[in-house]
Amino acid sequence: MATEKPRSARKPGYKRQDAPKRKLTDRQKAAKERWAKMTPEERQTHDKTKAPNPRMQKQHPGQVRITSLVVDELGKALRTILKLDGPADVLMSIYFKNARHLGPRERTLIAEGIYYTMRHLSMITWRMNPVRPDKAPRLTGLLALALQHGLDAIHDQILGKEKETLKNMLAPKSSDAPKEIQAEVPKWLYDLAVVQYTDHKALFEAMQEGAPLDLRVNSLKSTPDEVILELEEHGVKAEKGIYSPDCVRLFTKPALTQWPIYKEGKVDVQDEGSQLIARLMQPKRGEMICDFCAGAGGKTLALGALMKSSGRIYAFDVNEKRLNGLAPRMRRAGLSNIYPVVIRDEHDKHIKRLYGKMDRVLVDAPCSGTGTYRRNPDLKWRFGEEELNRINDTQKSVLRSAAKMLKPGGRLVYSTCSILKRENQDVIEEFLKENEDFELLDAFDILQKQGVEINPYQKERFGEYFVMLPHLNKTDGFFGAVLQKKRAEKPSKRLTQNTSENAEAKKPAEKKAEEAPK
């Protein structure tokens, strides 16, 4: 067996044949690719030790440095996302999973660029006209970055020939665009909202902002004060919610799902407005409850915690994949009173078996999602007026079917994450006309009894309905109506007594009539 020569005895140019090749890191691979793309002139001026390359130049404090890597990768991501054939957050997650060569800084800038593009796609399209954003994703990304950080944040070498094009696109004033483009919503939605809201301008502006991260504290395992203290130990600033007793609000978005606080089931991610929908149900221990459109189960888990894991909660949904995700969340939250059931539609046999047996039913109806545009800005470009017509019929059908599950005296909460009257008040008013055995309860009084205080102005404005809006409450847009099934009226004691006396008085009269000569 041959032995390898000592290092001192090796000839010049010796290369060990069996030595494995050094594995490059993702960052080194990216640098190698950039070097390969450089012209001979660029390579001559590129000093690796001093790094005068524009992508490495230092910026003034507070100024963002946009690199060619960020521009190129944002263009790649938008090439898929601008097709608008799927949720942007899902497509973005897939993109980042495959883009392992990106560092945390690049990922942040690209993610912010994607969300900015989706929030302001109407204005970007107007500025790019006649070029379509989906046909020029890299140019779209450059325009979004220039609108976000200023054209000076992107070096001329990166801009190249597109600098003049971008200048022309940035020149028009936003105030010159049509009103619905300034509002960053589709025209059909703009026309409906303008009629419904006198403060529509403030509403549209709030819907363009990013949303904070709200957590619902699991009362079975922790308290808001304990959660805030634990977050602060990790350098994350948090504060209690304004309305919900279980809410903790964060203004940064850490990778919370990897932290013990989440894995141990102490918190769950849920908007503060959504937490209050569960409180409208006001569930009691030991009751039979149905979450008719459970989805991923956020409100179901909130109900389970309010019931201290007692009673029985049926979680119905037509989406088996989403419902399957509820089981691990239940275990993490320490809940054993939830029973997920996949149904075919609102007329499924599982529902019919429970007619007249439920103490409370939550109908978190499928809707346009117009209240969630802060979190899902791409939804406004993927959801159309024709879909609204279809889903409006579904809402009415689901409500009718769910109402049959209630016992007399039972409570039903109808909720949506929509800002549109057509999906909310109009649905309830039509239902109440058709069903005289139901009555509308005051949502604000129900919340007040649980220590939830909402501005009295909102009660004056929306009456007995629960309405939360981004510009009024700094939450997503939510609607809730609390309906109660009337009990069958029992005859009063006095009425029973009078009936009995009348019957006794009638007997002698009948006897005399029989004895009278015919």
Side-chain angles (χ1 to χ4, degrees):
M1 183 175 175
T3 56
E4 189 179 343
K5 292 182 181 181
R7 192 176 292 270
S8 59
R10 292 175 190 168
K11 295 179 181 179
Y14 169 86
K15 185 176 181 181
R16 182 177 174 183
Q17 298 300 317
D18 59 344
K21 291 183 179 179
R22 185 169 64 89
K23 201 170 182 179
L24 297 177
T25 65
D26 290 334
R27 196 174 285 273
Q28 287 170 330
K29 287 177 185 176
K32 193 174 180 180
E33 287 174 9
R34 286 193 299 273
W35 179 261
K37 290 177 182 178
M38 283 185 186
T39 63
E41 293 79 11
E42 288 173 341
R43 290 180 183 178
Q44 284 178 4
T45 58
H46 179 67
D47 186 341
K48 293 181 180 179
T49 57
K50 295 183 179 178
N53 186 11
R55 69 175 294 277
M56 297 298 289
Q57 286 179 350
K58 289 184 178 180
Q59 303 289 300
H60 296 293
Q63 194 175 8
V64 175
R65 172 171 45 83
I66 304 299
T67 65
S68 57
L69 180 63
V70 169
V71 172
D72 292 341
E73 292 298 323
L74 177 56
K76 286 180 186 176
L78 290 176
R79 185 175 291 116
T80 301
I81 292 169
L82 284 172
K83 291 177 183 177
L84 300 175
D85 56 1
D89 58 341
V90 174
L91 296 173
M92 190 167 68
S93 177
I94 294 169
Y95 159 75
F96 280 129
K97 192 174 181 180
N98 296 324
R100 297 183 179 179
H101 59 285
L102 296 174
R105 181 183 173 279
E106 284 87 5
R107 287 171 178 267
T108 300
L109 286 171
I110 292 166
E112 289 173 352
I114 291 169
Y115 273 104
Y116 185 91
T117 303
M118 291 295 103
R119 287 194 177 98
H120 302 277
L121 186 58
S122 191
M123 185 63 73
I124 287 172
T125 304
W126 179 73
R127 289 182 180 279
M128 290 182 69
N129 189 49
V131 180
R132 283 175 47 183
D134 60 319
K135 298 297 182 183
R138 188 178 187 278
L139 182 60
T140 304
L142 274 171
L143 179 57
L145 291 168
L147 288 166
Q148 273 183 286
H149 308 292
L151 196 59
D152 292 340
I154 312 171
H155 197 274
D156 287 352
Q157 189 174 319
I158 298 170
L159 293 171
K161 295 176 182 178
E162 292 173 328
K163 184 174 183 179
E164 290 304 314
T165 304
L166 283 171
K167 280 185 176 180
N168 293 333
M169 290 178 176
L170 294 167
K173 294 180 181 177
S174 299
S175 56
D176 293 336
K179 296 293 184 184
E180 67 272 13
I181 289 175
Q182 294 180 48
E184 289 293 353
V185 292
K187 191 171 188 312
W188 66 267
L189 176 57
Y190 181 84
D191 292 340
L192 289 174
V194 165
V195 174
Q196 186 178 332
Y197 295 99
T198 54
D199 52 351
H200 58 268
K201 187 176 180 182
L203 172 61
F204 291 139
E205 286 175 355
M207 287 165 70
Q208 293 177 38
E209 297 171 359
L213 178 62
D214 286 351
L215 305 178
R216 179 184 58 79
V217 178
N218 182 358
S219 56
L220 299 179
K221 294 193 172 187
S222 193
T223 66
D225 288 326
E226 289 170 353
V227 167
I228 289 171
L229 187 62
E230 191 167 341
L231 288 168
E232 286 178 349
E233 288 174 357
H234 288 83
V236 176
K237 186 181 177 183
E239 61 184 35
K240 289 184 181 179
I242 303 169
Y243 308 102
S244 171
D246 305 314
C247 181
V248 168
R249 176 163 290 185
L250 283 65
F251 296 94
T252 57
K253 296 181 180 179
L256 200 68
T257 55
Q258 305 303 315
W259 291 14
I261 195 173
Y262 182 84
K263 290 183 176 181
E264 292 168 7
K266 293 180 181 178
V267 298
D268 205 36
V269 177
Q270 188 177 23
D271 185 88
E272 186 170 17
S274 179
Q275 295 177 32
L276 296 181
I277 296 292
R279 289 202 169 255
L280 287 177
M281 289 278 284
Q282 209 173 5
K284 297 176 182 176
R285 293 189 185 191
E287 287 187 327
M288 289 262 286
I289 289 179
C290 176
D291 187 348
F292 203 82
C293 308
K299 296 181 183 70
T300 316
L301 296 172
L303 289 170
L306 289 172
M307 294 172 70
K308 306 297 181 187
S309 197
S310 68
R312 200 175 186 90
I313 303 175
Y314 291 97
F316 289 163
D317 203 88
V318 295
N319 191 323
E320 185 175 2
K321 187 177 179 181
R322 293 188 73 192
L323 206 57
N324 285 343
L326 181 55
R329 296 176 72 190
M330 284 164 44
R331 289 193 292 270
R332 192 171 63 243
L335 295 171
S336 57
N337 63 336
I338 298 172
Y339 301 86
V341 180
V342 180
I343 56 173
R344 178 174 48 84
D345 55 28
E346 64 268 28
H347 308 296
D348 192 278
K349 62 182 180 181
H350 292 95
I351 297 167
K352 291 180 179 179
R353 288 172 187 164
L354 296 173
Y355 278 180
K357 296 180 179 178
M358 293 291 110
D359 294 292
R360 297 169 199 264
V361 176
L362 172 60
V363 180
D364 188 21
C367 68
S368 62
T370 48
T372 67
Y373 283 174
R374 299 186 311 161
R375 300 179 194 279
N376 308 303
D378 59 299
L379 185 58
K380 53 188 170 184
W381 316 121
R382 294 192 294 110
F383 188 95
E385 192 170 9
E386 290 181 4
E387 182 69 4
L388 176 63
N389 295 333
R390 185 197 66 78
I391 213 163
N392 205 204
D393 292 336
T394 302
Q395 290 161 348
K396 295 171 185 177
S397 178
V398 166
L399 178 56
R400 291 190 199 104
S401 182
K404 294 175 184 177
M405 301 175 74
L406 277 183
K407 295 177 179 177
R411 177 180 296 183
L412 183 147
V413 172
Y414 173 87
S415 71
T416 72
C417 49
S418 170
I419 63 168
L420 296 175
K421 183 173 177 282
R422 180 174 165 182
E423 298 180 83
N424 300 332
Q425 290 94 330
D426 290 354
V427 172
I428 296 301
E429 286 166 17
E430 183 178 318
F431 175 82
L432 289 172
K433 283 180 183 178
E434 295 174 354
N435 299 271
E436 294 182 356
D437 56 334
F438 278 83
E439 60 184 339
L440 182 66
L441 303 183
D442 193 316
F444 287 91
D445 285 352
I446 290 168
L447 291 175
Q448 199 169 36
K449 289 174 183 175
Q450 299 174 70
V452 177
E453 294 292 338
I454 298 175
N455 193 323
Y457 157 75
Q458 287 184 245
K459 184 172 182 178
E460 292 173 13
R461 182 174 176 179
F462 302 113
E464 295 172 314
Y465 295 113
F466 168 80
V467 178
M468 301 288 272
L469 296 167
H471 66 300
L472 297 180
N473 309 106
K474 303 205 180 296
T475 66
D476 286 349
F478 285 99
F479 171 84
V482 186
L483 305 175
Q484 183 166 296
K485 189 173 184 178
K486 298 175 185 176
R487 297 179 186 275
E489 291 186 8
K490 294 180 180 179
S492 65
K493 287 183 179 179
R494 188 170 180 180
L495 181 63
T496 306
Q497 188 177 355
N498 289 342
T499 305
S500 179
E501 288 173 358
N502 289 339
E504 291 297 321
K506 193 176 178 182
K507 284 179 181 178
E510 288 175 351
K511 192 174 181 181
K512 286 180 182 179
E514 288 173 2
E515 293 173 353
K518 294 181 181 179

